[in-house]
Amino acid sequence: MAARGERFIVAAVRLLMPRRHDARIGRQAARYWSASDGDQSWDSNSHWRHGIGDEAFAEVGRDHLEIYQRFARALEVDTPTTIIEWGAGGGANAVAFAPHVERFISADISPDNLAECFRQVQAVCNTPVDTLLIDLADPNAAADGLRHACDLFLCLYVIELTTGVDAVRTILRIAQRVLRPGGMAFVQVKYHTSDGRTRGRIGWAYARNLALNTTFTIEEFWRLAGECGLEPQLVTLVPRNRLDSRYAYYALTKPVSGMEPQ
């Protein structure tokens, strides 16, 4: 009887530990990204202009726009009029994409990032910018009212900063929900290889592993996107750029018809 009781306790601990672990990592991520507190490394990690420098800031947006345009031409998708960027940071992508559309929606966990992104876009174009504050405890709430409202969903230099596969699955399902049928999600992940040192390191110290928290193989993310109701179409790899290494960029489209994923 005692042995049976011990087995029950061990099983209960195993069930609870992942939940406690996930909750702790989530709190660490929320604390880290909520505000800059004047930290230069935070400004750099959020890709603010003064954090990474004018040249790198321009390069980030330019390179991403070029990759997206190659995807769009290959897939013959419609020119977007409304873009949402999930995890906009300091606006490096927004300043490249916003001048080409009628409406830009900036979503981020940090009020400081939202304000800086808005400021950067307003400095380069007259495109209206809406800002959405993401609560990591309920990220779906930020997308309320946007069902089928967007032509393009951007999520760049974000996935590797998330707190695991469940968080990524939530982002992909949000993309599926806000995109109109036929719209595209342009998403970047950090890929890992057979070298164990390149794998994600979700653990107790979120900030220590910042840009290497959540990684995927190319196939793993391709399959996950499909499970979330998006159709993987194209992928291109950037083994290294001035910021880091092992970037994979995906073109994911929302089916024109079909059942919505649960």
Side-chain angles (χ1 to χ4, degrees):
M1 189 70 172
R4 183 178 180 182
E6 289 173 1
R7 289 196 298 270
F8 176 81
I9 292 172
V10 170
V13 169
R14 287 176 176 170
L15 285 171
L16 289 172
M17 281 298 289
R19 296 175 187 175
R20 292 175 179 172
H21 174 271
D22 291 349
R24 179 175 294 188
I25 292 297
R27 289 194 296 270
Q28 290 180 8
R31 283 197 301 270
Y32 182 86
W33 293 110
S34 59
S36 68
D37 295 327
D39 185 345
Q40 181 66 29
S41 65
W42 188 97
D43 295 347
S44 176
N45 291 329
S46 295
H47 297 163
W48 284 37
R49 183 183 291 275
H50 71 258
I52 60 176
D54 289 340
E55 186 175 345
F57 186 87
E59 185 177 284
V60 166
R62 182 181 67 246
D63 289 356
H64 286 160
L65 180 61
E66 289 177 356
I67 295 172
Y68 162 72
Q69 289 174 335
R70 289 202 302 270
F71 283 163
R73 287 194 297 269
L75 297 174
E76 298 182 332
V77 298
D78 294 338
T79 301
T81 59
T82 299
I83 294 178
I84 181 170
E85 182 176 13
W86 198 263
N93 295 306
V95 297
F97 282 83
H100 303 283
V101 296
E102 297 175 6
R103 179 189 182 196
F104 192 91
I105 303 170
S106 169
D108 202 280
I109 184 178
S110 164
D112 291 346
N113 276 343
L114 291 175
E116 177 65 9
C117 181
F118 182 89
R119 188 177 73 83
Q120 291 292 340
V121 173
Q122 293 302 299
V124 299
C125 67
N126 295 320
T127 300
V129 178
D130 298 329
T131 58
L132 300 175
L133 184 62
I134 301 169
D135 180 355
L136 284 188
D138 184 16
N140 287 287
D144 285 350
L146 290 177
R147 183 181 175 85
H148 297 177
C150 303
D151 307 292
L152 177 61
F153 181 96
L154 301 178
C155 189
L156 305 164
Y157 293 161
V158 172
I159 297 296
E160 63 261 36
L161 306 174
T162 62
T163 57
V165 176
D166 285 345
V168 178
R169 185 178 289 109
T170 296
I171 291 172
L172 292 175
R173 287 177 172 167
I174 290 171
Q176 204 279 345
R177 190 165 75 251
V178 303
L179 284 172
R180 63 167 179 77
M184 181 195 294
F186 177 42
V187 180
Q188 167 269 325
V189 306
K190 183 167 281 191
Y191 62 89
H192 63 246
T193 67
S194 57
D195 184 344
R197 292 172 297 180
T198 67
R199 287 184 170 270
R201 300 172 187 171
I202 279 289
W204 298 108
Y206 172 83
R208 184 183 303 165
N209 300 314
L210 199 60
L212 195 59
N213 273 286
T214 302
T215 66
F216 295 86
T217 66
I218 305 304
E219 181 184 4
E220 282 172 345
F221 189 78
W222 189 279
R223 186 169 58 248
L224 178 62
E227 292 170 358
C228 294
L230 295 168
E231 294 182 345
Q233 302 286 355
L234 298 169
V235 61
T236 191
L237 306 183
V238 177
R240 177 169 292 280
N241 63 20
R242 76 160 68 210
L243 296 182
D244 209 336
S245 60
R246 301 188 316 280
Y247 292 125
Y249 294 86
Y250 293 80
L252 315 170
T253 57
K254 179 170 178 173
V256 175
S257 62
M259 295 292 292
E260 296 282 327
Q262 298 299 312

